[in-house]
Amino acid sequence: MANISKPDVRPANPRFSSGPCAKRPGWTLDALSDAALGRSHRAKVGKSKLQQAIDDTRDLLRVPADYRIGIVPASDTGAVEMAMWSLLGARGTDVLAWESFGAGWVTDAVKQLQLKDVRTFDAPYGEIVDLSQVDFDRDVVFTWNGTTSGVKMPNGDAIPANRQGLTICDATSAAFAQDLPWEKLDVVTFSWQKVMGGEAAHGMLILSPRAVERLESYKPAWPLPKIFRMTKGGKLIEGIFKGETINTPSMLATEDYLDALGWGKRIGGLDALKARADANLAAVEAYVAANDWIGFLAKDAAIRSNTSVCLTFTDPDLVAQSEDAQNAFAKGVASLLEKEGVALDIGAYRDAPAGLRIWCGATVETADIEALMPWIGWAYGEQKAALKKAA
Ligand SMILES: Cc1ncc(COP(=O)(O)O)c(C=O)c1O
């Protein structure tokens, strides 16, 4: 049964967007007061901040010492496409998709790069592809956590340590919330705006030694724009991985990322960040377990995201309705919650099945998730009552 009256408790912070995500608890604009504004990013002060962002990322994510970490243009998309355009084509490629961002990488490989030897694997929303069918002696492009379906890789077990191909992993909604098995990953990308609640602007591109070897030994058949170029004269441009960005970065966004990383360290590092996301998911799970009209898009808990948590309405009366009607219902629930000021931006992604998506990453407080869930029950009840009246 859904709630009938409005719950007494409201989330202290109604921001549950899947990106840009909520700022860290306690964040104010004062956190940016030390930003190197109006200074050159090539000056000592600017460069040292960019280098600090790289070093702190390495510490917090426990990136191996022999992996390069670069700050690149155009957020996560920039980082993924830079990797795809620079590395693919040397051998066959498998591209995997279980939601719309993964599907975007399929489009890049098939329609834009027009790779000659490419296989694609996709799974419907809520499921993951059969990883046993993937050939890791080919290059493999995939998303660790599908932000629009709430489905994540269960672990890296399917990826052989002695693979011949490179694994190119879009980890933008996984980094800082889920374990990333570095020895299984050759390229890892993410942006600042997700789990750490930073500003969107720059992408992080992390390369294994094998990825660097490919960059230095392989020249793609297509032209590379300047913002994708990581080598010069067949050698890696090492400066990119020491804070010498290809083009001008935002020092304001950089300061904000440094603040977020500092917060992550202060609260206990990666384990604490992961634990916060896990606790948030657990709070949603407890509510879902107690209510039969709502369920997870990812039914299998082993692949259920602890960041972009996607819910569907499972009430048989609703499920029997058309897709449009289900979408309208779910949108109605989200907009009621927004009107009440208890939840902003929790409608499902535009291409995903009807439902809600609640960001549960580390910057979100568990008490806010706990306060939100009964409100969803209330809004659901209101929408159902409106439906009945209209019938
Ligand atoms: C899995 C995934 N990949 C790529 C992107 C694109 O990221 P950005 O907008 O930071 O480039 C997103 C954004 O939400 C995402 O969730």
Side-chain angles (χ1 to χ4, degrees), residues 18-19 74-78 80 99 101-102 105 143-148 170-173 190-194 200-202 349 357:
S18 292
S75 206
D76 181 64
T77 310
V80 173
E99 47 80 67
F101 285 103
W105 310 141
T143 298
W144 192 276
N145 183 88
T147 319
T148 64
D170 170 0
T172 197
S173 51
F190 63 91
S191 84
W192 298 347
Q193 46 122 347
K194 287 277 191 280
H202 305 296
Y349 189 73
R357 179 175 58 167

Side-chain angles (χ1 to χ4, degrees), residues 93-155:
T93 305
D94 286 359
V95 194
L96 326 181
W98 41 88
E99 47 80 67
S100 68
F101 285 103
W105 310 141
V106 169
T107 300
D108 272 356
V110 175
K111 295 205 171 132
Q112 296 296 324
L113 287 170
Q114 301 179 7
L115 297 176
K116 286 198 181 65
D117 179 9
V118 60
R119 304 191 305 173
T120 63
F121 297 81
D122 56 17
Y125 276 85
E127 293 170 32
I128 198 165
V129 301
D130 178 359
L131 295 164
S132 71
Q133 300 296 308
V134 179
D135 180 358
F136 288 92
D137 286 338
R138 298 158 65 82
D139 294 332
V140 181
V141 181
F142 65 103
T143 298
W144 192 276
N145 183 88
T147 319
T148 64
S149 68
V151 167
K152 62 162 188 163
M153 286 280 285
N155 50 51

